[in-house]
Amino acid sequence: MKTVLEPFRIKAVEPFRITTAAERETILAKAHHNLFLVRAEDVMIDLLTDSGTGAMSAQQWAAIMTGDESYAGCRSFYELEAVVRDLTGYRHVFPVHQGRAAERILFGCMVMPGQAVPNNAHFDTTRANVEFLGAAAVDFVAPQAADLAAAAAWKGDLDLVKLEAWLAAQPKGSVPIGLLTITNNRVGGQPVSMQNLRGVSALYRRYGIPFFLDAARFAENAWWIHRLDPEWQNVPLPKIARAMFDLADGCMISAKKDGLVNIGGLLCCNDDAVANKVKNLLILTEGFPTYGGLAGRDLAALAQGLREVLDPEYLHYREASAHYFASHLSQLGVPVVQPFGLHAVYVDARAMLPHIPVQQLPGQALACELFLQGGVRSVEIGTLMFGYTDRATGKPVVADHDLVRLCLPRRVYTQSHIDWVIESFAELMQRREHIRGLDIVEEAPLLRAFTAKLRPVQVPQGAVASRA
Ligand code: F0G
């Protein structure tokens, strides 16, 4: 079937302003060709992130009205706790305001300067929270993830061979915690197989290292296990999710993704001593442990979101939307990272715009052109985000890839919106040779992508390429 049947009706609408191409020129110039500096009301279709941008269900809005706002021991907390225990099996459940709060608190309790934390791939904030404590965040990306165009399965896996060799070489007591991110956001939202989850769990156990999942997109990972692994084909999704959580000692969850809420997070664990430390730090910086920096209504909406997210109809629709989007782009000849994940479709901008030298930021150039073409906001994951100027040599250091991430907010856009984005890409493909690169005019020393000012390259391409 060609039509993506969204398994919901729309009860509340949020109109967006339809801008003209000329208006978008002005908007982009004012934002210095940085889409983070564009106001959301000037965006027609916002695919910047799937984090906190989903639509809540009627039942979640109803829960908002019945949330208990008591400071201590609110009913909404106990309802959430019961849902999370049922889902994960973990004894201790702490609400936090979002994923990075869970990271800061958990690492603050467990990680010391000079130590190292392994993961399949740390998300930016996870890495930053490890490094903030003076520890090293070490990634073990599976080898099958290296080729962006290869439709290999389980590209989110952790490289067990490398992890094992690395663990064997670490001094005793220098690895305070082991992580695994499901799905693997840094590697295109690719899933982690149950076999890999088992292997990682066994390795961490063998070395006596507490194992925590970064489970922001646990439902999407469970869906891929159901779809791709014959062993789990006939197993209900909550059982698959539980099997993943059972392999670890706890988890951190940014509930802004598969919690189906606009704000919220969770930190869960089994160990009483860890839970005690977490509780004390939580009180210090987030709030009393039965609300953790959230309103009672947020807890109630999250409990309901977690009840809804493992609905196979919903996850099937999510896969159908991502598949529709990715396959139509591929048919146009747009180089799409394979296989597609559920939370986003990634375009390889270097492959689409080979005439733009990497120093001239092909990913950012493509993201800007997509905005000019269709009022669509995406995000560059490439040299603007991860590149930097080497202090010693003064030379620019480029990223491994220049990708454009087109995130799919949950239950927000319909097939028609996605068709609009596909049609915008069709136009871009027609005139791709004429798309120009960008120069950075101003940049911050850290996290430059968020505030950098850019402008289209001013001189003929050949001259700039030879200068770079
Ligand atoms: N872990 C993963 C895997 C994430 O993708 C994110 C956020 C976090 C942790 C941090 O959670 O934002 O609630 O504090 N990812 C968003 C994104 C921001 O756009 O991919 P947070």
Side-chain angles (χ1 to χ4, degrees), residues 22 26 34-35 129 160 162 201 217 273 289 354 381 388 401 404 419:
T26 313
N34 185 336
L35 295 166
N129 273 294
L160 285 168
K162 284 213 174 114
S201 173
R217 297 178 182 83
I381 310 260
Y388 55 93
H401 303 290
V404 169
D419 281 339

Side-chain angles (χ1 to χ4, degrees), residues 75-262:
R75 173 179 37 77
S76 302
F77 168 74
Y78 292 108
E79 283 172 10
L80 173 65
E81 185 187 48
V83 170
V84 177
R85 277 205 186 131
D86 193 39
L87 172 72
T88 65
Y90 299 131
R91 276 152 49 109
H92 303 285
V93 175
F94 299 102
V96 290
H97 81 270
Q98 62 182 82
R100 66 199 72 183
E103 293 163 0
R104 184 181 53 79
I105 290 170
L106 184 66
F107 301 159
C109 294
M110 302 185 77
V111 178
M112 307 278 281
Q115 294 185 320
V117 178
N119 199 340
N120 45 354
H122 290 79
F123 178 69
D124 320 15
T125 59
T126 325
R127 168 175 297 279
N129 273 294
V130 169
E131 291 175 351
F132 184 70
L133 292 164
V138 190
D139 290 347
F140 294 92
V141 175
Q144 64 267 30
D147 182 355
L148 297 181
W154 312 118
K155 281 181 166 180
D157 280 1
L158 180 149
D159 187 333
L160 285 168
V161 177
K162 284 213 174 114
L163 176 66
E164 185 158 17
W166 180 83
L167 283 174
Q170 299 310 300
K172 220 176 155 29
S174 66
V175 183
I177 183 171
L179 301 177
L180 188 67
T181 307
I182 55 170
T183 56
N184 192 340
N185 190 5
R186 283 299 303 279
V187 184
Q190 301 288 332
V192 176
S193 67
M194 192 63 90
Q195 201 191 349
N196 196 252
L197 273 144
R198 287 182 183 134
V200 171
S201 173
L203 252 183
Y204 287 149
R205 293 248 151 95
R206 176 134 57 86
Y207 283 86
I209 297 166
F211 172 23
F212 278 74
L213 291 170
D214 177 352
R217 297 178 182 83
F218 70 91
E220 297 182 354
N221 205 86
W223 176 255
W224 282 125
I225 290 175
H226 158 73
R227 290 277 287 114
L228 303 175
D229 184 341
E231 187 191 337
W232 297 92
Q233 210 176 328
N234 297 314
V235 179
L237 290 162
K239 278 212 163 142
I240 301 178
R242 182 60 179 268
M244 302 189 309
F245 288 117
D246 277 350
L247 288 165
D249 303 303
C251 69
M252 304 176 285
I253 295 182
S254 165
K256 299 169 74 172
K257 286 85 171 171
D258 282 347
L260 300 178
V261 288
N262 305 114

Side-chain angles (χ1 to χ4, degrees), residues 360 436-437 439 455-465 467:
Q360 291 176 15
R436 278 194 290 163
D439 281 329
R455 65 159 185 236
V457 288
Q458 304 291 306
V459 279
Q461 211 88 109
V464 173
R467 189 193 62 185

Side-chain angles (χ1 to χ4, degrees), residues 301-316:
L302 174 53
Q304 180 57 25
L306 293 173
R307 285 187 198 109
E308 292 174 12
V309 75
L310 288 168
D311 173 4
E313 293 301 335
Y314 158 73
L315 287 163
H316 175 262

